[in-house]
Amino acid sequence: MLHIHQIRNATIIIETENEVILVDPMLGNQGIMPPFTLFRHKARKNPTVPLPKNTYSLLNKVTHCLITHQHPDHVDNAGVQFLIKNNIPVTCSVKDEKALKKRGLNIVQSLKYWEKQPFLGGVIEGIPAKHGYGFVAKLMGNVLGFYIQLPNQKSIYLSSDTVYTNAVHKVLTNYKPKISVLACGAAQFDIFKQLIMSVEDILKFIKNSSGSVIANHMEAINHCPLTREKLKTILKQNNLHHNVYLPEDGELVTIE
């Protein structure tokens, strides 16, 4: 049985019988970062919401951490301090390893795109991710998704911040993950195209998923306009709401 705790934005905790894996820890107080957009969307300091009350009791159990990329809404200063203080082992991209080590993190494993390595008794693979449509993807830098198969557990695909690409399509159609975690906030700066999947691509992702989809990266950062309520309505209109979870911050999704 797999328990996935939605914390806030992309921060989740994956809990199995043996492991408690923290993903992309943005653990800072509400409003500690500046707005990421001033004009296109309401200029509110980030994160726009506090951490759920149950966060710290969950953090006390963490045995490992996965970091998909270095943006502050995925690993902030508070997240770094937590990982250092507790000497949590971290898995990341080879492209981020040097910088994260420099920040003091205990990097025990780094992955290239399409590279498989042993992971907590199972296997983890680095999956390419493209952070935006068009030119902005170059500015946003490298991002790594993860495909994970743990012993006696359903396979998990953490797509991270990406648009729909051939790599994403390959994972969904060839690997057929039982659980996919998808960044759904439709983030966009004041200029440039969207930074993660548009609604059209979210629908395509869900259509091509053979397992359950957990939608997150919503309602916590001011440049993410797509809300859970809006997405829920769109999914129902397209008859795609089955097997899609839209957990609130602090909510637990259990998939047997």
Side-chain angles (χ1 to χ4, degrees):
M1 192 181 295
L2 203 64
H3 304 289
I4 298 180
H5 302 267
Q6 169 61 28
I7 305 300
R8 180 178 60 183
N9 197 49
T11 308
I12 61 170
I13 290 176
I14 301 167
E15 190 173 3
T16 71
E17 285 83 357
N18 304 313
E19 304 293 343
V20 181
I21 305 162
L22 173 64
V23 180
D24 283 353
M26 178 180 69
L27 303 177
N29 292 334
Q30 182 177 0
I32 202 163
M33 290 187 279
F36 293 163
T37 172
L38 298 173
F39 312 112
R40 189 186 294 275
H41 307 299
K42 190 177 176 184
R44 292 185 292 160
K45 288 186 176 180
N46 291 309
T48 58
V49 292
L51 284 169
K53 289 192 174 80
N54 62 342
T55 302
Y56 294 102
S57 60
L58 291 168
L59 288 174
N60 286 335
K61 300 194 285 182
V62 166
T63 58
H64 201 92
C65 179
L66 299 173
I67 295 176
T68 62
H69 61 303
Q70 292 186 64
H71 292 168
D73 62 327
H74 289 257
V75 56
D76 61 2
N77 290 334
V80 167
Q81 289 311 310
F82 167 79
L83 295 172
I84 292 171
K85 183 184 172 188
N86 297 281
N87 197 32
I88 303 292
V90 176
T91 296
C92 67
S93 164
V94 287
K95 294 179 180 177
D96 291 332
E97 181 178 12
K98 191 176 174 185
L100 291 174
K101 274 184 175 173
K102 204 171 176 183
R103 291 176 80 176
L105 298 190
N106 177 23
I107 308 298
V108 296
Q109 181 178 35
S110 61
L111 291 164
K112 297 173 185 169
Y113 288 160
W114 302 121
E115 180 182 15
K116 292 180 185 175
Q117 289 187 21
F119 180 70
L120 305 178
V123 178
I124 191 167
E125 183 172 356
I127 305 297
K130 185 184 176 194
H131 201 332
Y133 297 94
F135 177 70
V136 75
K138 288 196 171 92
L139 302 178
M140 298 308 284
N142 61 280
V143 184
L144 187 71
F146 295 106
Y147 180 72
I148 306 163
Q149 294 174 290
L150 294 172
N152 308 312
Q153 297 291 345
K154 293 193 169 183
S155 54
I156 313 171
Y157 172 35
L158 305 175
S159 67
S160 186
D161 283 10
T162 188
V163 298
Y164 198 100
T165 62
N166 290 337
V168 171
H169 189 75
K170 176 182 170 180
V171 173
L172 293 178
T173 54
N174 291 8
Y175 293 22
K176 299 189 185 301
K178 299 296 184 191
I179 303 163
S180 297
V181 181
L182 176 62
C184 285
Q188 193 167 10
F189 291 141
D190 287 327
I191 54 174
F192 304 119
K193 293 178 181 177
Q194 283 170 317
L195 303 169
I196 53 180
M197 290 190 200
S198 62
V199 168
E200 186 184 3
D201 274 351
I202 291 169
L203 295 178
K204 190 175 176 184
F205 186 104
I206 292 165
K207 272 178 194 164
N208 289 326
S209 299
S210 49
S212 301
V213 176
I214 298 174
N216 73 353
H217 207 301
M218 288 182 283
E219 298 182 63
I221 299 292
N222 89 299
H223 69 336
C224 292
L226 185 60
T227 64
R228 295 174 176 96
E229 206 52 51
K230 274 189 209 164
L231 181 55
K232 195 186 291 181
T233 302
I234 292 164
L235 293 176
K236 282 183 177 172
Q237 286 168 350
N238 288 271
N239 199 28
L240 287 172
H241 55 291
H242 310 287
N243 294 327
V244 180
Y245 298 86
L246 292 93
E248 298 290 336
D249 293 347
E251 192 175 332
L252 168 65
V253 176
T254 298
I255 298 175
E256 293 184 32

